[in-house]
Amino acid sequence: MSEHLDVVIVGAGLSGIGAAHHLQTALPDRTYLVLEARETIGGTWDLFRYPGVRSDSDMHTLGYRFRPWTDAKAIADGPAILDYVRATATEAGIDRRIRFGHKVVDASWDSGTARWTLTVEHAAATVTMTCSYLYVCGGYYHYDRGYTPEFDGIEDFGGRVVHPQHWPDDLDHAGRRVVVIGSGATAVTLVPALARDAAHVTMLQRSPTYILSAPTVDAVATRLRALLGPRRAYAVTRWKNVLISTLIYQLSQRRPAMMRKFIREQTIKQLPEGYEVDVHFNPAYGPWDQRLCLVPDADLFRAIGDGSASVVTDRIDRFTERGLRLASGAEIEADIVVTATGLRLLALGGIRLAVDGREVPLPETMAYKGMMLGGVPNFAFTIGYTNASWTLKADLVAEYVCRLLRHMDAHSYDYCVPVPDPAIDARPLLDFQAGYVLRSLDRFPKAGSRAPWRLGMNYAQDVLTLRHGRIDDGTLRFARATRHRAGSDVLAEPGGH
């Protein structure tokens, strides 16, 4: 006797909780469960626990469209975001639909019965269940381990080496000399947070990153809340911030020299007079070719200004017993080295897909609207924007999935599948030059050279396409099951085990 759901959502992080909320609000009669491999709600915001962990997007866009962010801080810390996600799940009763410690490892589709059969690892055993629609919201980070390059002599180092993804609870950095290797979002978050208590923190970067300061508190949002109330103010602030971030991105792509000059001028204002800005904050690439880092209230620049932190731009020759020797011959002494050197990506949480008995090789598939796979029926996944808040796209994907399911109900269809056009050229799914993306792109689905196979990175355009565009657009093929389904299926009740 197998358990059957209308929808299975994989992942109880920011995307999964949002997807569940949209689903039960739009289609309250649908049975669903959220399967979460870990033992708690929160995903990335529970996994990352390094000092100072926070959003690198404002919370008016990282927050859900349906649940206003009302805290005064627009740039929020990790614990506050985690509380927000968990409160969303609890208030909507979603927490009762989550099964923790359930890792989906295989998903096999059968067109005859129009069902997925899921193989799920739980408590050292394997269980199976079926569902009509599979919705993967596990993000794209490899949760088991981060990325650390091979460093010569690391075994000689007499101090401690840690990766931010696995921050030890017992690590005391107070009064210690700390070197943070890296210059991305994690590094620029860690450095000022560690600098409050450490003897000194050095950000050791191979090459610079574009960094902009933003106020922790959005004064316009605060004023709008007083005038319009929290819900209306949230909607207005959300669109304000979308438009500002879109403008910055578009100018960076179309007028890179102008934006480079603007960012450089802002950086000079934040740093001590005479600081070597062109050595440490002048990237070789164009603005937004990689993600632009946001620092709240110039905290990184202030730490540099008061001497509690410094930046060194050089390459590592090797670790030594007392620290790091650089390619220039200089040495940095350290008690703790933090390898903020990046993340590993994992497509679809490592789930193996098969359709009608044939394995689906992900790198050979093409993503439809950046959220479904060509040739894979009744399946959706969430990948957020690289140039804006993840949740903006996650909300739109969830809305689209609900519209799609409603359309199938209205026409008595059992399943739908995007049919690829062989004339469309393949492109990388993520057109983004960050190292963590480039290292893993060959294991991800492809995008196409034109819509609807091209992954959009424009929220306003996606609002029109995903929220209001036609469902039956000529690319989706709809069908009905051809075989009788077994009568022994058991519908899952709310709640888990």
Side-chain angles (χ1 to χ4, degrees):
M1 184 177 291
S2 61
E3 182 179 32
H4 179 75
L5 290 306
D6 290 327
V7 181
V8 165
I9 296 169
V10 179
L14 190 65
S15 305
I17 298 304
H21 195 286
H22 280 284
L23 180 68
Q24 70 178 28
T25 301
L27 300 162
D29 294 332
R30 296 269 172 158
T31 59
Y32 80 90
L33 283 176
V34 180
L35 302 183
E36 168 56 52
R38 302 173 77 239
E39 297 296 337
T40 187
I41 294 172
T44 297
W45 297 107
D46 177 74
L47 177 71
F48 293 116
R49 301 187 179 191
Y50 56 81
V53 59
R54 55 171 171 77
S55 65
D56 63 348
S57 303
D58 73 279
M59 287 305 300
H60 298 96
T61 55
L62 191 67
Y64 299 116
R65 179 176 178 237
F66 56 81
R67 189 172 191 268
W69 174 263
T70 57
D71 193 283
K73 287 187 176 180
I75 308 296
D77 59 36
I81 299 170
L82 185 58
D83 287 345
Y84 172 79
V85 175
R86 289 178 174 170
T88 302
T90 301
E91 289 173 11
I94 296 166
D95 55 339
R96 299 193 299 274
R97 307 273 192 129
I98 303 172
R99 292 191 183 166
F100 297 105
H102 282 66
K103 179 178 176 61
V104 182
V105 293
D106 282 288
S108 181
W109 170 264
D110 177 62
S111 296
T113 56
R115 287 187 174 179
W116 287 99
T117 297
L118 308 181
T119 303
V120 184
E121 292 179 350
H122 173 60
T126 299
V127 297
T128 61
M129 61 180 66
T130 62
C131 65
S132 299
Y133 201 95
L134 180 59
Y135 189 177
V136 177
C137 296
Y140 53 30
Y141 292 148
H142 197 309
Y143 274 35
D144 295 339
R145 56 197 178 110
Y147 173 74
T148 302
E150 295 290 330
F151 290 116
D152 288 340
I154 194 167
E155 67 280 354
D156 299 331
F157 180 54
R160 196 161 178 184
V161 180
V162 299
H163 191 284
Q165 187 167 324
H166 306 285
W167 196 267
D169 293 334
D170 64 345
L171 183 64
D172 182 8
H173 65 275
R176 306 293 183 88
R177 297 164 300 176
V178 183
V179 173
V180 178
I181 302 173
S183 60
T186 302
V188 303
T189 298
L190 271 165
V191 170
L194 294 171
R196 296 186 194 111
D197 303 307
H200 187 77
V201 180
T202 303
M203 187 170 87
L204 175 58
Q205 60 181 12
R206 186 172 56 184
S207 57
T209 297
Y210 288 104
I211 300 172
L212 268 180
S213 175
T216 300
V217 176
D218 187 327
V220 174
T222 302
R223 179 64 177 154
L224 287 174
R225 274 196 295 272
L227 292 173
L228 304 177
R231 186 163 292 277
R232 288 180 180 175
Y234 181 68
V236 174
T237 305
R238 189 175 174 89
W239 271 109
K240 170 186 76 76
N241 292 351
V242 165
L243 293 173
I244 290 172
S245 63
T246 301
L247 176 63
I248 291 172
Y249 178 76
Q250 293 295 337
L251 285 175
S252 296
Q253 297 297 296
R254 298 177 185 183
R255 302 286 297 277
M258 182 188 81
M259 285 303 297
R260 178 190 285 271
K261 181 173 181 290
F262 169 76
I263 295 171
R264 182 179 181 275
E265 289 172 351
Q266 296 303 307
T267 303
I268 289 172
K269 290 178 183 177
Q270 306 287 353
L271 288 166
E273 187 175 351
Y275 188 85
E276 294 180 309
V277 171
D278 290 330
V279 174
H280 303 304
F281 293 97
N282 184 28
Y285 56 88
W288 263 119
D289 287 349
Q290 298 184 30
R291 193 171 177 90
L292 191 153
C293 288
L294 206 61
V295 294
D297 296 331
D299 61 357
L300 174 67
F301 300 127
R302 285 189 286 107
I304 294 169
D306 66 24
S308 60
S310 58
V311 180
V312 173
T313 304
D314 205 337
R315 292 180 177 268
I316 297 171
D317 175 40
R318 64 177 292 112
F319 274 71
T320 66
E321 183 181 353
R322 301 178 63 181
L324 294 155
R325 187 168 71 221
L326 308 181
S328 63
E331 295 197 21
I332 306 175
E333 293 190 354
D335 304 301
I336 300 168
V337 174
V338 182
T339 55
T341 45
L343 305 160
R344 293 181 188 272
L345 301 191
L346 184 64
L348 306 182
I351 299 171
R352 295 181 292 270
L353 301 179
V355 173
D356 294 328
R358 298 182 64 180
E359 184 179 348
V360 176
L362 281 183
E364 297 175 19
T365 62
M366 189 173 286
Y368 169 80
K369 295 187 175 179
M371 54 167 282
M372 297 166 72
L373 294 178
V376 181
N378 281 18
F379 176 85
F381 64 94
T382 298
I383 286 185
Y385 297 115
T386 54
N387 64 346
S389 292
W390 180 278
T391 320
L392 289 173
K393 183 62 174 288
D395 269 339
L396 287 176
V397 171
E399 290 176 45
Y400 182 89
V401 168
C402 292
R403 291 179 62 219
L404 177 61
L405 294 174
R406 194 180 287 124
H407 177 87
M408 290 165 63
D409 281 349
H411 296 85
S412 301
Y413 293 127
D414 292 310
Y415 66 93
C416 70
V417 58
V419 179
D421 181 348
I424 293 180
D425 296 328
R427 298 281 190 271
L429 181 64
L430 299 172
D431 184 15
F432 201 50
Q433 300 305 306
Y436 71 93
V437 172
L438 297 177
R439 283 192 298 270
S440 307
L441 265 183
D442 60 337
R443 296 186 288 277
F444 275 70
K446 299 294 190 294
S449 54
R450 63 174 184 268
W453 301 96
R454 187 175 60 243
L455 178 63
M457 285 292 163
N458 185 309
Y459 176 69
Q461 184 176 330
D462 282 347
V463 166
L464 296 175
T465 303
L466 299 182
R467 187 177 293 162
H468 303 294
R470 286 181 54 201
I471 294 291
D472 192 355
D473 62 355
T475 300
L476 288 179
R477 182 171 64 84
F478 296 87
R480 298 178 178 87
T482 57
R483 288 203 307 272
H484 177 67
R485 296 179 179 134
S488 58
D489 294 322
V490 177
L491 293 180
E493 296 295 331
H497 55 246

